[in-house]
């Protein structure tokens, strides 16, 4: 097995440079197709070229760095777009660790490795959009009709990168397997003082948009018993949902009302409308189904009780994905040699592009710790030492394939 010797200063230097695109305090604001995102992708394409990898953008802005040669090769990577308020490492770490491993492998005569930064993993349009399209899980035509919170379609947004799209398609058939390095984004490794997570499975996710419509009215003259108050509808929905879900979930199940917009959102007006999202995640499809039924029944019951109209639409469904056991075993043995006694097998409570790619090839993941378990926040951070250790494990796993 050819050792792939990564260079820590190059890894950390590129991570810091990538952080500079859309940097905001200690975090980043780099949503898909924003100027910061497109500039970051152009820079990344340059770094791939400098590393001896041929950069190719596909029609939606997924960026691949392809090694010399034609045969199927290992693909590694993640995403470089961010949440509306994102951490500097979410996705970015996996992209740069992949780039570093791919170029180090070229330098020491190791196996050909391709690197990728998928587009819109963070869901400006729909969760894990770029890798969903690339993996054939949603057609480009259907994806182009997806809209962001401002009503801009994916078709309109990706037109801003039209000049970058390469002529040649880069399909999943070009690759033999996929490994994604990522920060854990949770507290497990950090609290245990461990360095590497060998991911066994990735939870599934469902997201829906809801609208309660009542009666906008005067906040002073409208008696409480005559109100059809949309906010009160949301408040009782949230409370009642927690009560009804209690019997259907495990301690690892999560559900979130992450967005809520009152209309007209004025102190002296009884809100006539509220738009909100419900997102739920679990490792079991059957449990996701049961939760979906409970969520719908609760919304229906609250609407009926409070005289509200209800509209809802699903906008993202990603099935639970097991990681490939053989790849996971190789990551485990790499962890055993690089960080003996300081690793664990674990599930992923966050969604990752590997969940989509797993539909087209063997896919697996490794985690490095997140300080205080914080992510999707400007406070997200990981020690430099842990970032380097994760890249060493990634390189060792790649060399063993
Ligand atoms: O939400 C997620 O799990 C991912 O970070 N987009
Ligand atoms: Mn991510
Ligand atoms: Mn994320």
């Amino acid at each position: 097995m050819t050792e792939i010797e990564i260079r820590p200063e190059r890894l950390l230097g590129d991570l810091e440079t990538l952080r500079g695109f859309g940097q905001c305090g200690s975090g980043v604001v780099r949503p898909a197709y924003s100027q910061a995102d497109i500039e970051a992708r152009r820079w990344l394409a340059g770094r791939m070229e400098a590393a001896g990898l041929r950069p190719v953008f596909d029609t939606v802005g997924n960026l691949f760095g392809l090694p010399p040669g034609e045969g199927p090769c290992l693909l590694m990577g993640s995403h470089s777009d961010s949440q509306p308020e994102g951490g500097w490492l979410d996705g970015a770490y996996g992209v740069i660790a992949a780039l570093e491993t791919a170029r180090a492998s070229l330098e020491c005569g190791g196996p050909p490795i391709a690197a990728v930064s998928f587009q819109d993993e963070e869901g400006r349009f729909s969760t894990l959009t770029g890798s969903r399209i690339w993996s054939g899980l949603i057609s480009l035509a259907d994806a182009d009709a997806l809209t962001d919170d401002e009503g801009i379609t994916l078709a309109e947004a990706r037109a801003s990168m039209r000049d970058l799209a390469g002529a040649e398609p880069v399909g999943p058939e070009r690759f033999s397997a996929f490994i994604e390095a990522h920060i854990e984004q949770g507290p497990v490794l950090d609290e245990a003082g461990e360095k590497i997570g060998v991911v066994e499975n990735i939870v599934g996710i469902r997201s829906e948009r809801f609208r309660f419509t009542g009666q906008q009215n005067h906040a002073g003259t409208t008696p409480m018993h005559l109100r059809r108050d949309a906010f009160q509808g949301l408040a009782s929905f949230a409370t009642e949902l927690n009560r009804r879900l209690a019997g259907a979930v495990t301690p690892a199940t999560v559900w979130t009302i992450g967005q809520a917009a009152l209309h007209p959102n004025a102190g002296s007006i009884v809100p006539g409308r509220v738009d909100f999202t419900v997102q739920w995640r679990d490792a079991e499809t059957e449990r996701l189904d049961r939760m979906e039924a409970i969520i719908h029944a609760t919304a229906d019951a609250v609407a009926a009780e409070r005289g509200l109209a209800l509209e809802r639409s699903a906008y993202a469904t990603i099935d639970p994905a097991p990681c490939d056991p053989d790849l996971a075993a190789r990551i485990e043995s790499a962890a055993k040699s690089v960080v003996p006694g300081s690793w664990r097998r674990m599930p992923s409570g966050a969604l990752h592009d590997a969940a989509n790619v797993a539909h087209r090839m063997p896919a697996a993941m490794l985690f490095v710790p997140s300080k205080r378990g914080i992510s999707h926040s400007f406070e997200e951070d990981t020690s430099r030492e842990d970032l380097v250790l994760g890249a060493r494990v990634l390189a060792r796993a790649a060399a063993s394939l």
Side-chain angles (χ1 to χ4, degrees):
M1 177 175 92
T2 312
E3 280 299 323
I4 299 176
E5 197 64 40
I6 61 124
R7 287 172 41 187
E9 76 292 342
R10 200 168 50 178
L11 169 84
L12 297 172
D14 278 354
L15 273 172
E16 287 294 348
T17 305
L18 180 51
R19 182 183 208 166
F21 294 96
Q23 181 157 8
C24 191
S26 57
V28 294
V29 177
R30 201 168 57 224
Y33 305 105
S34 61
Q35 190 185 342
D37 171 57
I38 295 172
E39 284 171 8
R41 288 178 189 273
R42 285 181 191 275
W43 167 80
L44 189 56
R47 292 300 282 161
M48 288 171 167
E49 195 142 37
L53 302 169
R54 185 158 54 85
V56 180
F57 287 92
D58 74 4
T59 49
V60 295
N62 296 317
L63 170 59
F64 297 86
L66 302 176
E70 293 306 316
C73 68
L74 174 64
L75 177 66
M76 292 181 154
S78 190
H79 60 95
S80 53
D81 64 293
S82 83
Q83 283 283 331
E85 287 195 5
W88 72 294
L89 292 168
D90 180 353
Y93 174 62
V95 171
I96 300 300
L99 171 61
E100 177 53 33
T101 304
R103 63 189 167 197
S105 190
L106 279 178
E107 287 162 351
C108 50
I113 298 172
V116 62
S117 170
F118 285 114
Q119 182 57 292
D120 195 31
E121 190 274 356
E122 295 290 11
R124 175 181 167 190
F125 293 95
S126 167
T127 307
L128 315 184
T129 317
S131 59
R132 274 177 77 203
I133 298 166
W134 187 71
S135 304
L137 298 173
I138 181 173
S139 70
L140 181 57
D142 288 347
D144 267 345
L146 294 168
T147 58
D148 68 4
D149 291 341
E150 276 68 54
I152 295 168
T153 65
L154 174 60
E156 289 160 342
R158 72 182 177 90
S160 53
M161 296 185 71
R162 186 180 296 120
D163 62 310
L164 289 170
E168 66 171 295
V170 179
E173 65 286 349
R174 292 283 294 264
F175 309 106
S176 54
F178 177 67
I179 302 182
E180 180 171 5
H182 206 285
I183 53 172
E184 178 199 334
Q185 300 184 287
V188 173
L189 295 174
D190 188 51
E191 282 177 2
E194 292 165 348
K195 299 297 179 190
I196 294 291
V198 180
V199 180
E200 294 192 299
N201 65 290
I202 304 167
V203 295
I205 188 173
R206 298 202 183 156
S207 301
E208 293 199 12
R209 291 192 177 102
F210 289 76
R211 169 173 285 181
F212 280 141
T213 304
Q215 177 59 58
Q216 183 170 325
N217 216 326
H218 194 296
T221 56
T222 312
M224 295 307 281
H225 71 286
L226 294 181
R227 293 183 177 198
R228 289 189 293 122
D229 181 332
F231 172 76
Q232 292 297 335
L234 172 55
S236 51
F237 169 77
T239 307
E240 180 61 9
L241 183 61
N242 291 341
R243 193 185 66 76
R244 292 190 188 196
L245 283 177
V249 297
T250 75
T253 311
V254 292
W255 59 98
T256 311
I257 298 175
Q259 274 179 295
L262 286 179
H263 180 82
N265 203 32
S268 293
I269 301 179
V270 175
R273 189 174 77 227
V274 62
D275 290 309
F276 60 98
T277 58
V278 182
Q279 179 193 100
W280 59 106
R281 307 183 190 206
D282 192 83
E284 307 292 334
T285 300
E286 298 70 35
R287 186 171 293 111
L288 290 171
D289 291 341
R290 282 202 303 280
M291 292 174 77
E292 183 170 319
I294 292 170
I295 291 163
H296 290 173
T298 307
D300 289 339
V302 167
E305 185 194 319
R306 291 180 170 273
L308 302 171
L310 167 63
E311 298 162 74
R312 57 179 164 79
S313 61
Y315 70 93
T317 296
I318 307 272
D319 294 334
C323 288
D324 178 78
D326 174 54
L327 278 182
R330 288 171 185 273
I331 295 170
E332 178 178 312
S333 84
K336 276 178 181 164
S337 56
V338 177
V339 286
S342 190
W343 60 276
R344 70 168 61 204
R345 283 181 168 260
M346 60 191 292
S348 173
L351 261 289
H352 300 287
D353 292 309
N356 288 328
V357 178
H359 289 266
R360 301 301 302 270
M361 66 191 76
M365 294 192 72
L366 70 86
F367 283 160
V368 295
S370 291
K371 283 184 180 173
R372 295 183 293 130
I374 292 176
S375 183
H376 282 190
S377 159
F378 291 154
E379 294 177 58
E380 175 189 285
D381 200 11
T382 299
S383 75
R384 291 339 179 243
E385 182 221 1
D386 290 350
L387 295 173
V388 172
L389 284 173
R392 289 213 163 98
V393 172
L394 184 68
R396 197 170 181 86
S400 76
L401 283 172

